[in-house]
Amino acid sequence: MTPNICTSLLLLFLVNSVWTRTVRQVYDELDPEHWSHYTSECPRECFCPPSFPNALYCDNKGLKEIPPIPARIWYLYLQNNLIETISEKPFVNATHLRWINLNKNKITNGGIESGALSKLKRLLYLFLEDNELEEVPAPLPVGLEQLRLARNKISKIPEGVFSNLENLTMLDLHQNSLLDSALQSDTFQGLNNLMQLNIAKNSLKKMPLSIPANTLQLFLDNNSIEVIPENYFSAIPKVTFLRLNYNKLSDDGIPPNGFNVSSILDLQLSHNQLTKIPPINAHLEHLHLDHNRIKSVNGTQICPVSIAIEEDYGFYGNIPRLRYLRLDGNEIQPPIPLDIMICFRLLQAVVI
């Protein structure tokens, strides 16, 4: 037997062995005995997919209360129901829960039994959007990584509610009823690993106090903010994405070099009251200034480095990194000034 034939037979044997094991694994996973086991545990109002045994789908069922949750469940989907309460009883056996989606229900703070949430020790993701909460629920599971509370009626954040949530990386509070008075200097204390904070569509007139130092993404769109305090961003030195669209910022409300921050790569200031482009940093890559009151653009004035110095460094030197500039909805008339192109050599798109 030639070497080539031997090699081919060996490969065929290995492939068939792997294929057989793979088919056996799939068959085992979908074994009818397992199906019946999952079906017997599954609440009759819900769906337990045999191919995803750790998930329980109870969404869009018109439920008014949470059914008993089997012990094997990690992922629980309860969105789009009529649930008003969260009690401890349905979760007695569900000690492995990682994910709960309770969006679009009718849950109030009074309907949450004390300790019902905090006893879910392994919970990582909690979605309570589109409910009827008037304050951030407490106490919360200490291991949470994401907390989504958008589109409620939240006007109060209880003292210390976040103090033990060291693993939280994302907090979404957008489209609630938060006033400046709700955000005290210690409100976000304890959120040492927070990366995204969304407080858009509230009723803030001032920049919030004491944003966690590790925050990368800060969303404050659709408020009534008028002023950026001096050196505000020095306390959040890692902020990369900053959204302040649809506020009331004017030229007088922005201190000199207020946005000249090396960490900011994406700056959105659309739909404000600016008449000129504020000083920016050479590291900025995306700048949104559409729908303000800007009448003209002077590339020499807004260039974050001297054009003469830029020429000395050459193309591969320390040139500004701006790639996208949006200026439509202002009073600027085309064409784009040549000095804009000379300064920002990496520009790929300008909307005017």
Side-chain angles (χ1 to χ4, degrees), residues 158-169:
E159 184 177 356
V161 68
F162 302 127
S163 60
N164 294 321
L165 303 186
E166 294 187 359
N167 295 327
L168 199 71
T169 59

Side-chain angles (χ1 to χ4, degrees), residues 74 95-99 119-125 141 143:
W74 287 26
T95 56
H96 296 282
L97 272 176
R98 303 291 201 276
W99 173 303
K119 290 182 179 179
L120 301 173
K121 302 296 185 182
R122 299 189 183 185
L123 195 67
L124 302 178
Y125 301 88

Side-chain angles (χ1 to χ4, degrees), residues 20 36 42 67 72 85 95 106 110 113 124-125 144 150 175 187 213 246 252 262 273 276 292 297 299 306 325 330:
T20 302
S36 60
C42 189
R72 72 173 189 275
T85 60
T95 56
K106 297 182 178 298
E113 182 180 326
L124 302 178
Y125 301 88
L144 273 186
Q175 201 165 332
T187 295
Y246 292 95
D252 294 336
S262 61
Q273 300 170 13
K276 59 184 179 182
N292 276 273
V297 182
S306 167
L325 176 60
N330 284 282

